[in-house]
Amino acid sequence: AETWDMPTPYGDATFHTQNIRTFAEEVAAATDGALEITVHSANSLFPHAEIKNAVRSRQVPIGEFFLSRLSNDDLAYGLDSQPFVATSYEDAAKLWAAQKPVVTELLAKEGLMPLFSVPWPAQGLYTNGEIKTVDDLAGLRFRAYNAALEEFAALAKAAPVQIEAADIPQAFSTSQVEAMITSPSTGANSKAWDFVTHYTAIDAWVPKNIVVVNQRVFDRLDPAVQEAVMTAAAAAETRGWEMSKEEAAAKTKVMEENGITIVQPSAELVSGLQAIGAAMLENWNEKASDEAKAILEAYNQ
Amino acid sequence: MAELSDPVIFGILLTLLIALLAAGVWVALSLMIMAFVAIVAFSNAPAGLVLATTLWGHSHSWPLAALPLFILMGEILLRSRLSEDMFSGLAPWLTRLPGRLLHVNVLGCAIFAAVSGSSAATAATIGRMSVPELKERGYPESLILGTLAGSATLGFLIPPSIILIVYGVATEQSIARLFIAGVLPGIMLVCLFGGYVMVRAWMAPDTIPKEDDTMSLREKIAASRRLLPVMLLIVGVIGTIYTGVASPTDAAAVGVVLAAVLAVMTGSFGRKEFIEALMSATRTSCMIALILFGAGFLAIAMGFTGIPRNLATWIGTFDLSPHALLTVLTVFFVLLGCFLDGISVVVLTTSIILPIVQAVGIDPLWFGIFLVLVVEMSQITPPVGFNLFVIQGLTGIDILRVAKAALPFFLLLMLGLLLITVFPGIVTMLPDAMGN
Amino acid sequence: MRRVLDALYTAAGGLAALCILAICLLISAQVGLNILARVGGPALSFTIPSYADFAGFGLAAASFLAMAYTLRAGAHIRVNLLVSRLPQGAQWVAEMLSLALGTAMVGYATWFSVQLLMESLHYGDTSPGIIAVPLWIPQLTMVTGLVLLTVALLDTLVESLRNRAPVIIDFGSE
Ligand code: NA
Ligand code: NA
């Protein structure tokens, strides 16, 4: 029997990790214990930043990470985190269909093969007080942790502030930051009601995690085991997307129950944000590789 | 080797570590060698690549950047008149209090803990100033070292706290609530530590040096003017955090700049002193960094071998009552804490332990604080205790002697653990008051 | 040779110190900008791009570059309570053993850190932040520091072997 160590960045309460644990159980069951996967959650094996490279150099055979972390390597990885490109699960599925062949090819250059990818719930806006138009964002200290968000803040005339994830509660309570964009999962799990009053469901983008395996390690597996892994992976992807949808609804409800005002964005806010998204996409187009542009083309068809 | 049981493997590795340390191998390298043996003998992972990844992955983290800066701040204070001034300004007020200036160690650590998230930084910064001052004034070494080693652990409990962030992220507890939950237990520990110092002073009054007791109130107030620069520093650093212009890591840089400006203004600090301070801070933070890398490699080795995970699973098989479970877990964490650093103990075991704990109806928020107290204990137990390392680094006094001096504080932390178990309200009262 | 090596260790230590100073200045500058933004409003709000990443890389450089210097200064800590009670001959043997084990362990780490660097170069790995930094640049400080530490350990081993006595005096040890 073979044992695989699998690092993931997220904790056990995250639906992604729960999904992966089920995946591991299914692989073990389908292969009759020939392949056991040990899940190491919450960065307990490798830090998030090192997981992809650890799989690449076969320190571990398999691992999970946030796909758009790799946008600096190629913008093709980051299209799911580009604001207002794909904002619903339907669009996100369509985008992943367009993205998958390109991402597969890019990862293959590093000896990696994607097994499955599962989205986070769509990203909403957390603020103190209601945001009715894009103008309401002007001047707010806005959390920006990557280049796209910094650009977004600049276009919305907000002030980008770099806050590490762990510092968020304190940063809000001391007004170091006044607005952020993240998923309802993260909002509910970090008990956002302790520090914000309003959640606006702007559904800015639907980012994904991806699970990759080292190709050489995978190729060495018995064909029957390989097939079991691929079957379980396909099931995990389907299940993960469903879990994500349920999560979005459940966690939004948790926030509402705890006193956060859930706001559907006004038409004015939506059109303003879409204008920003369009401007960002134009800049994106200038920098994107041919592969990345091909994804957008396929998606827009 | 697969037939060896986990407790046996654990025993072999621990023996190896103790042998290496006893032979005088550097602490960081002993940890690395032990981890290397663990990976090669008891797992399939490629040791060399994992080591390189760990060295790189653990070396550039943002929260860690605060460490050298806080150490530098301590060095600047030591080499200027500021730390001497602080003790001279406080001395007249503490003449009647049993234990006198030893309380500066306890309260100094508590105040600094409100700025820094780590207990090593707290020990390094406060200890840099207080150890030489208190020694010079003739306080007993064991109490100086013990109060410092013990009180510095507050860095983890009083917010901000790296360990609560790690626990909060791993278990998806609200970090804001965990921070608030740490406040009362922190105050409780300050009282326990301060109380212990008073009892010791009361039992053997001759061991505590006399401070000048003839000053009038007016003279005392006049002497207190010397406290002003340090108070400005404290207000400045805490102020930048709580007005939101600086994150906790940012605040370390603010501390260095303010300390340097104040040191120059009090006229006791020049280019030569600054270079000395900088080089000394470079050595101390490099020493701590190398141990952190060794500890990180050991943690990952433990992750691959699965020993802590298996032991935790094994504990779960006994179906213990809540109090029995907590007792067993305390012993388990103290044992692991002997040779793993606190953060690793948390990340390696929570995913097994938390479901067991929740199954018997223990509040995960309360358990986070429980865990922090146990981790604090692990900071002062040999052979691997970061506060011990920092204090040996500052004073040259061997960690085993420091550990002996810290033993009463280990027991006080144990008492603290008992108190929050009997009166869980100490932990849950404030977060419950946050509403909803 | 002795002088050249000592100068090398000290120079790297000095460079590490400069890195700490640079982290301090970088973060202070950002705090200054934060204050400016508070006073001046959104029109005057600026962030230094990826300053947290740069502070992290500065920390890595400071930690690794100072290692050899810190070793020679006797500031890497060890438990000497037991060894110091041994007769001098045995102390010397223990020192040799420590240095030999240390050289082997750090040499091994150095070798694989070179592999890591080569891999980063080969795949063109970059940092994920606002500014994409090619990772081989900060990783080069790691490799340099580890090479120096290996050299310093080996150097100390040879020196102790010649002197028939430990040469590193632990900081503050009685
Ligand atoms: Na703290
Ligand atoms: Na310990």
Side-chain angles (χ1 to χ4, degrees):
Chain A
E2 190 162 349
T3 307
W4 281 5
D5 288 293
M6 176 174 189
T8 92
Y10 304 98
D12 297 286
T14 312
F15 74 93
H16 286 283
T17 309
Q18 287 159 359
N19 185 35
I20 283 170
R21 287 200 188 277
T22 312
F23 163 73
E25 281 161 22
E26 286 186 359
V27 169
T31 61
D32 220 3
L35 179 59
E36 305 257 5
I37 298 176
T38 310
V39 179
H40 299 264
S41 58
N43 292 317
S44 60
L45 206 57
F46 289 102
H48 195 168
E50 312 303 330
I51 289 177
K52 187 201 74 180
N53 292 358
V55 180
R56 185 172 72 191
S57 56
R58 280 180 289 155
Q59 298 172 53
V60 282
I62 185 171
E64 183 200 35
F65 54 88
F66 190 64
L67 183 60
S68 57
R69 267 190 73 83
L70 308 184
S71 323
N72 281 348
D73 293 347
D74 194 310
L75 285 174
Y77 291 116
L79 204 51
D80 61 5
S81 292
Q82 193 66 23
F84 306 103
V85 171
T87 59
S88 65
Y89 280 106
E90 293 68 45
D91 286 352
K94 203 175 148 205
L95 177 62
W96 176 226
Q99 207 180 5
K100 192 172 178 181
V102 177
V103 164
T104 304
E105 207 169 301
L106 285 171
L107 287 173
K109 287 182 192 159
E110 303 193 25
L112 302 171
M113 177 174 81
L115 283 181
F116 60 92
S117 179
V118 172
W120 290 89
Q123 310 280 299
L125 179 65
Y126 293 75
T127 50
N128 279 306
E130 200 180 336
I131 301 295
K132 293 196 185 92
T133 68
V134 168
D135 291 340
D136 292 341
L137 285 172
L140 284 186
R141 281 183 290 281
F142 179 89
R143 177 175 181 239
Y145 53 85
N146 61 27
L149 276 169
E150 186 160 65
E151 193 185 353
F152 177 86
L155 288 169
K157 300 196 176 56
V161 187
Q162 292 174 50
I163 306 286
E164 300 300 307
D167 290 338
I168 290 173
Q170 175 166 302
F172 268 98
S173 54
T174 60
S175 331
Q176 190 185 2
V177 62
E178 298 162 313
M180 68 168 174
I181 292 183
T182 189
S183 73
S185 315
T186 310
N189 292 341
S190 65
K191 300 200 166 40
W193 47 90
D194 287 347
F195 49 84
V196 295
T197 58
H198 282 68
Y199 172 77
T200 313
I202 56 172
D203 294 348
W205 62 91
V206 185
K208 295 186 294 290
N209 285 357
I210 190 164
V211 171
V212 299
V213 65
N214 185 292
Q215 185 77 54
R216 283 170 67 184
V217 178
F218 183 81
D219 289 347
R220 274 204 320 253
L221 291 175
D222 189 85
V225 176
Q226 287 183 1
E227 204 188 307
V229 171
M230 293 317 282
T231 311
E237 183 155 302
T238 314
R239 183 175 59 239
W241 283 70
E242 284 311 312
M243 287 172 93
S244 181
K245 285 174 202 167
E246 286 161 25
E247 173 91 358
K251 290 295 158 84
T252 308
K253 195 156 163 265
V254 169
M255 290 202 288
E256 191 169 17
E257 281 165 5
N258 281 285
I260 290 190
T261 312
I262 310 291
V263 187
Q264 289 308 317
S266 67
E268 224 182 329
L269 180 60
V270 171
S271 65
L273 289 171
Q274 275 167 350
I276 291 177
M280 288 181 71
L281 202 57
E282 226 165 86
N283 293 338
W284 183 91
N285 253 313
E286 280 167 25
K287 293 177 289 179
S289 61
D290 292 342
E291 289 92 337
K293 282 181 193 157
I295 298 175
L296 194 63
E297 237 165 72
Y299 170 70
N300 280 333
Q301 269 170 13
Chain B
M1 295 242 208
E3 69 273 16
L4 291 180
S5 71
D6 286 318
V8 175
I9 297 176
F10 186 86
I12 293 173
L13 292 174
L14 199 55
T15 311
L16 173 69
L17 178 68
I18 291 170
L20 288 167
L21 289 171
V25 178
W26 288 270
V27 170
L29 299 180
S30 301
L31 293 173
M32 248 179 233
I33 293 169
M34 177 194 178
F36 173 77
V37 170
I39 291 195
V40 171
F42 307 111
S43 88
N44 306 319
L49 288 173
V50 171
L51 173 57
T53 304
T54 312
L55 286 172
W56 170 245
H58 284 65
S59 66
H60 60 98
S61 90
W62 160 245
L64 210 59
L67 189 69
L69 301 181
F70 278 131
I71 291 170
L72 178 56
M73 182 177 99
E75 293 286 345
I76 292 173
L77 295 176
L78 170 79
R79 285 177 166 74
S80 65
R81 252 184 36 212
L82 292 169
S83 68
E84 190 198 324
D85 278 359
M86 178 172 78
F87 281 86
S88 308
L90 285 171
W93 299 100
L94 298 172
T95 51
R96 298 283 169 83
L97 188 67
R100 300 197 182 89
L101 287 174
L102 284 172
H103 293 282
V104 177
N105 251 356
V106 180
L107 292 175
C109 284
I111 292 170
F112 189 77
V115 177
S116 154
S118 109
S119 77
T122 307
T125 314
I126 299 297
R128 200 74 190 119
M129 296 180 284
S130 70
V131 173
E133 276 292 330
L134 292 173
K135 244 184 170 169
E136 197 173 302
R137 287 163 183 266
Y139 285 85
E141 184 192 89
S142 72
L143 274 176
I144 300 176
L145 298 178
T147 48
L148 176 63
S151 313
T153 64
L154 290 170
F156 279 150
L157 186 57
I158 295 177
S161 157
I162 291 177
I163 199 104
L164 284 176
I165 290 171
V166 168
Y167 178 80
V169 170
T171 63
E172 302 205 327
Q173 294 296 307
S174 154
I175 290 165
R177 276 164 197 251
L178 283 167
F179 277 10
I180 297 290
V183 171
L184 281 184
I187 293 171
M188 173 190 78
L189 284 182
V190 170
C191 295
L192 285 179
F193 295 162
Y196 173 75
V197 168
M198 284 195 259
V199 169
R200 281 289 297 266
W202 175 74
M203 278 163 54
D206 299 340
T207 58
I208 308 295
K210 295 270 178 295
E211 301 287 345
D212 180 13
D213 198 11
T214 56
M215 282 186 176
S216 66
L217 185 65
R218 178 183 294 231
E219 284 169 320
K220 284 184 184 173
I221 292 172
S224 300
R225 268 199 325 235
R226 304 178 70 179
L227 286 173
L228 208 62
V230 171
M231 279 163 79
L232 272 176
L233 175 67
I234 294 171
V235 170
V237 172
I238 295 187
T240 49
I241 293 184
Y242 290 92
T243 54
V245 292
S247 74
T249 307
D250 294 337
V254 176
V256 172
V257 172
L258 279 180
V261 168
L262 289 168
V264 171
M265 276 168 53
T266 50
S268 50
F269 192 75
R271 179 197 293 259
K272 181 173 153 283
E273 286 79 13
F274 181 74
I275 291 175
E276 277 173 17
L278 185 60
M279 292 315 287
S280 178
T282 305
R283 290 191 297 269
T284 306
S285 46
C286 171
M287 178 273 282
I288 297 175
L290 189 56
I291 298 179
L292 284 173
F293 300 158
F297 186 44
L298 182 56
I300 207 169
M302 289 297 111
F304 274 118
T305 63
I307 294 170
R309 205 168 52 240
N310 298 344
L311 290 174
T313 310
W314 180 63
I315 290 175
T317 58
F318 292 116
D319 286 326
L320 298 166
S321 71
H323 283 138
L325 178 66
L326 289 174
T327 312
V328 170
L329 285 181
T330 306
V331 174
F332 172 64
F333 285 129
V334 167
L335 275 178
L336 276 189
C338 280
F339 79 109
L340 281 173
D341 75 295
I343 293 176
S344 307
V345 172
V346 173
V347 297
L348 286 173
T349 57
T350 40
S351 77
I352 309 287
I353 296 283
L354 199 71
I356 303 173
V357 162
Q358 281 181 301
V360 297
I362 294 171
D363 174 10
L365 183 86
W366 179 90
F367 188 70
I369 301 300
F370 171 89
L371 209 51
V372 169
L373 281 177
V374 190
V375 165
E376 288 191 12
M377 290 159 68
S378 78
Q379 298 293 308
I380 53 176
T381 52
V384 179
F386 271 82
N387 287 13
L388 305 179
F389 299 151
V390 168
I391 293 170
Q392 174 171 344
L394 292 181
T395 61
I397 296 170
D398 200 274
I399 58 164
L400 295 179
R401 240 167 84 198
V402 183
K404 201 176 143 208
L407 181 64
F409 293 84
F410 177 84
L411 298 174
L412 288 171
L413 283 165
M414 193 82 99
L415 177 62
L417 215 52
L418 193 68
L419 285 174
I420 64 161
T421 309
V422 179
F423 307 106
I426 300 172
V427 174
T428 53
M429 204 158 73
L430 288 184
D432 285 349
M434 277 176 83
N436 312 118
Chain C
M1 191 65 183
R2 176 76 273 133
R3 274 216 212 125
V4 174
L5 285 172
D6 283 342
L8 197 62
Y9 307 146
T10 311
L15 213 54
L18 287 178
C19 288
I20 293 181
L21 204 57
I23 299 172
C24 185
L25 293 177
L26 180 70
I27 299 179
S28 304
Q30 182 58 54
V31 174
L33 290 175
N34 292 349
I35 294 173
L36 179 71
R38 276 300 170 86
V39 178
L44 290 178
S45 89
F46 307 97
T47 52
I48 302 170
S50 291
Y51 86 110
D53 286 353
F54 287 113
F57 295 148
L59 176 70
S63 304
F64 285 110
L65 289 176
M67 277 178 182
Y69 161 74
T70 306
L71 176 85
R72 294 291 293 187
H76 281 308
I77 70 159
R78 56 211 286 195
V79 182
N80 41 29
L81 203 63
L82 304 159
V83 173
S84 64
R85 304 209 168 146
L86 296 175
Q88 283 210 318
Q91 276 191 33
W92 181 59
V93 171
E95 179 78 358
M96 296 286 88
L97 181 76
S98 293
L99 285 164
L101 277 173
T103 310
M105 188 72 237
V106 177
Y108 181 80
T110 309
W111 170 255
F112 281 96
S113 73
V114 173
Q115 308 286 308
L116 186 84
L117 178 97
M118 302 300 281
E119 207 187 290
S120 291
L121 262 175
H122 177 252
Y123 289 109
D125 290 343
T126 54
S127 67
I130 294 168
I131 295 182
V133 180
L135 285 183
W136 67 269
I137 299 172
Q139 283 171 350
L140 193 60
T141 64
M142 169 173 77
V143 171
T144 311
L146 287 173
V147 167
L148 277 176
L149 182 60
T150 313
V151 170
L153 282 161
L154 196 63
D155 168 24
T156 312
L157 178 65
V158 171
E159 207 185 348
S160 310
L161 207 62
R162 281 202 194 132
N163 289 10
R164 307 201 137 259
V167 287
I168 294 181
I169 307 302
D170 278 351
F171 161 79
S173 59
E174 298 109 304

